[in-house]
Amino acid sequence: MDKIKFNIFTNKYSVVILSILACILWGSAFPSLKVSYSLLEIENSGAFVKMLFASYRFMLASFMLFIFIILKSGIKRLKLKRNDYLHLLTLGLIQTFAQYAFFYNGLAKTTGVKASILVTSGIFFTVIASHFIYHDDKLNKIKSFGLLLGITGVIIININRGNLNFIFNFTGEGFIIMTGVMSTIAILYVKSLSKNMDIMIITAYQMLFGSITLFFIALSGSSIETINFNLKSGLLLIYLAFISAAAFGLWYSLIKFNKVGYITIYKFIVPVSGVFLSAIFIITESVSFNAVLALALVSIGIVIINMPEGYLSKKMGG
């Protein structure tokens, strides 16, 4: 079983498929969240209400992973060393609590367009950090060009979706950038922890600890009665939890067995797939020329980054 798992997460073809699948799952969260907010009538509520909703989502996702682990390996598998719990609590505070607290509060004080663009800063932070931390994950001209194409695609897809200005507010735009910083720290932390700990255990516990913190912080500015679920919104919450459990489980597994910078590049697919899936599932949304162009740029960027070392230079040199 371990050999099959190892092959799946290291084979060059399956790595691409699983990376894209994880990003599409995350992209599907955009229309799912929009519909959920509408059904629950919390679209115009403050950040604390949305943080409360996020706490439900990630807490349920952690329960899903715990059930999976127990069915696969037994309840004893959940017992860890005391020091491990401390590491997972720290990761949960960074990955689930801090990242989403910064995101939801920052989003409340900036435009959706700027947030969509700035949140991709996490990709750059991760690739650059990997360049200095890992000797086999260096940034080169080809990878830099692919990154440039990716961020250009994200900017293009957001040009006609709202107001893009050059005003900078730390509690708005700054918080969105901090989301990227938290994401980078979490990824590098997971890479380190996964050397001695099962990736599903890491994912489940960090989500549980992070969601509990989110829950109590959210209650300081809202109340449980604010969100009333019905059948449709409840099913959507379950799907959103599944997205988190499956996507993070896949993503962290890929991070464990591959170069961090190489896997992180695929995150450009998240905002692009989010736009396409929103167009499919939300009547008021549509796919524009900008979306198609953005998808093309992101795809080309990823292809370039995945080319063998020196491939382009050989082709251009004849």
Side-chain angles (χ1 to χ4, degrees), residues 52-53 55 61 70 85 90 144 156 161 190 197 210 221 223 235 252 259 262 278 286 298 307:
L52 181 63
F53 183 82
S55 73
I70 291 170
Y85 289 115
T90 303
S144 299
I156 287 174
R161 294 176 65 199
V190 167
M197 223 183 300
S223 64
L235 290 174
Y252 283 165
K259 297 177 182 178
Y262 168 64
S278 294
S286 61
V298 169
M307 285 180 177

Side-chain angles (χ1 to χ4, degrees), residues 91 94-95 99 119-130 133-134 177-191 255 260 264 267:
L91 178 62
I94 296 169
Q95 173 70 65
Q99 184 176 340
V119 78
T120 60
S121 61
I123 299 172
F124 289 94
F125 295 145
T126 304
V127 171
I128 292 169
S130 299
I133 295 173
Y134 307 113
I177 291 174
M178 286 302 299
T179 299
V181 173
M182 292 299 109
S183 174
T184 297
I185 295 172
I187 287 172
L188 299 177
Y189 202 176
V190 167
K191 181 75 171 178
I255 290 294
V260 173
T264 303
K267 273 207 170 181

